[in-house]
Amino acid sequence: MHIIGGTASTALAERVSRELGNAPFGIPFKKRFPDGEMYVRVGGRVEGEDVVVVQSTRTDEDLVELLLLLDAVREAGARRTFAVVPYFGYARQDRRFFPGEPVSARALCRHVELDADAVITVDLHSAQTLAQFTKPAFEASGIPAIARMLRERPVDVLVSPDKGGVDRVRRMAQLLDKPWFALDKKRIDSEHVELAFPAEVPIPIAGKHAVLIDDVITTGGTIVEAAKLLQKRGVGAVSAACTHGLFLRDAFERIKAVTDEVYSTDTLGNPAEKASVAPDIAQILRREASP
Ligand code: R5P
């Protein structure tokens, strides 16, 4: 099995290679043509091998690179190609909200699987997106990675900032054997939210260390409001953990100002990266790909 690390996921790809007993690992050559178009070239002999391209698609540029790398690998005679897309961009538009809109997540699934025999991603925005792939598609979870890291830290209670995250926080609570609850969230617009405590909070939280668990932090609006709300109830410390840390603009600084710690996995490089999903991706590859 060969692992290829795209520009957006080089470090994670290398970690996956190490998890697989130092599977051959390569970084493609990349440059721009004078007109701005991207050029990539994959080195090494991959003919007849299973090849894994690891590339998050946070930007449109990342997406083009992923599509070019998958085509290059197929051209080079790979036996099977695995697209590992740790952060799968466009996943939030998973349905048509207004007439005239695309189902962007579905459009991206179709294009990514064009030159891939299987797709592996991490914590997709919604489970229905996985069903949009017509080829084998697998979703790793960021929860075990965050749980491995939180086990080493003092944690009293886990909190989901919204009801949509109940399954996630419940799973984390099972892994860490901690109590949990979910806040009520009302989204005002893409940057602003209103949060409230549920009618019943299962345990007293004054003086406790609460950890907010979310799948993605984007503008930081949700976590900032949630942290402030918990502090009003007198928590002793509040931390925030997510799988995908996008941290747009000054989101990281704003969150740091109201929390004790910020944790994220390595699906996107960021200053909060303290847990790796490499073991979880490697586990799927060990099962699905040939060594
Ligand atoms: C919502 O469904 C997600 O789980 C996150 O809570 C949300 O996307 C975070 O966005 P922001 O950081 O912009 O509040």
Side-chain angles (χ1 to χ4, degrees):
M1 196 188 321
H2 283 244
I3 312 291
I4 290 176
T7 314
S9 302
T10 314
L12 174 53
E14 200 167 1
R15 286 179 202 126
V16 171
S17 147
R18 280 203 297 272
E19 286 290 330
L20 293 167
N22 291 324
F25 166 71
I27 299 173
F29 174 73
K30 180 179 162 186
K31 69 166 187 174
R32 291 274 174 191
F33 285 113
D35 62 1
E37 286 181 1
M38 191 188 297
Y39 168 93
V40 297
R41 192 170 66 238
V42 173
R45 288 187 60 83
V46 299
E47 210 175 328
E49 301 279 339
D50 278 1
V51 181
V52 180
V53 175
V54 188
Q55 169 81 338
S56 279
T57 54
R58 175 188 182 140
T59 65
D60 295 353
E61 178 176 342
D62 296 337
L63 177 65
V64 172
E65 184 179 329
L66 172 66
L67 299 179
L68 295 183
L69 288 174
L70 291 170
D71 191 86
V73 164
R74 186 159 317 280
E75 275 294 313
R79 188 171 87 98
R80 285 186 305 171
T81 318
F82 290 75
V84 174
V85 191
Y87 175 76
F88 196 91
Y90 288 89
R92 268 174 285 203
Q93 178 84 13
D94 56 1
R95 60 195 166 98
R96 185 166 52 79
F97 298 91
F98 296 102
E101 290 181 347
V103 180
S104 310
R106 181 184 61 203
L108 272 287
C109 290
R110 284 180 185 158
H111 284 85
V112 168
E113 70 177 4
L114 207 61
D115 275 314
D117 296 294
V119 180
I120 298 171
T121 183
V122 183
D123 281 352
L124 270 170
H125 183 64
S126 64
Q128 72 226 45
T129 300
L130 206 64
Q132 302 286 0
F133 290 105
T134 62
K135 294 187 179 164
F138 309 93
E139 186 185 21
S141 169
I143 294 170
I146 296 170
R148 289 192 287 272
M149 187 248 331
L150 287 180
R151 248 180 228 127
E152 313 296 319
R153 287 153 166 95
V155 177
D156 295 315
V157 58
L158 302 164
V159 184
S160 171
D162 54 45
K163 293 280 186 285
V166 161
D167 286 347
R168 187 176 310 116
V169 73
R170 190 187 285 131
R171 193 166 161 218
M172 184 76 82
Q174 278 164 357
L175 289 173
L176 297 175
D177 193 21
K178 300 287 176 192
W180 65 273
F181 65 93
L183 299 171
D184 290 317
K185 177 165 104 176
K186 187 169 147 205
R187 187 161 278 289
I188 310 298
D189 58 37
S190 58
E191 308 222 356
H192 300 95
V193 294
E194 272 176 16
L195 292 169
F197 278 100
E200 275 185 37
V201 176
I203 57 154
I205 58 170
K208 305 283 187 198
H209 184 177
V211 183
L212 287 156
I213 306 289
D214 212 342
D215 58 342
V216 53
I217 297 178
T218 311
T219 66
T222 300
I223 292 297
V224 167
E225 290 308 314
K228 286 184 186 165
L229 194 68
L230 292 169
Q231 279 152 357
K232 274 190 206 151
R233 280 267 174 118
V235 291
V238 58
S239 303
C242 67
T243 301
H244 307 298
L246 282 161
F247 300 117
L248 299 189
R249 298 185 295 275
D250 59 349
F252 185 66
E253 285 67 33
R254 283 176 35 247
I255 293 171
K256 260 179 67 179
V258 292
T259 57
D260 295 85
E261 280 265 21
V262 193
Y263 311 109
S264 114
T265 76
D266 53 356
T267 59
L268 296 156
N270 65 50
E273 187 181 297
K274 289 166 189 148
S276 182
V277 291
D280 311 280
I281 291 171
Q283 191 181 12
I284 297 174
L285 286 169
R286 245 182 249 115
R287 192 182 70 214
E288 302 296 329
S290 309

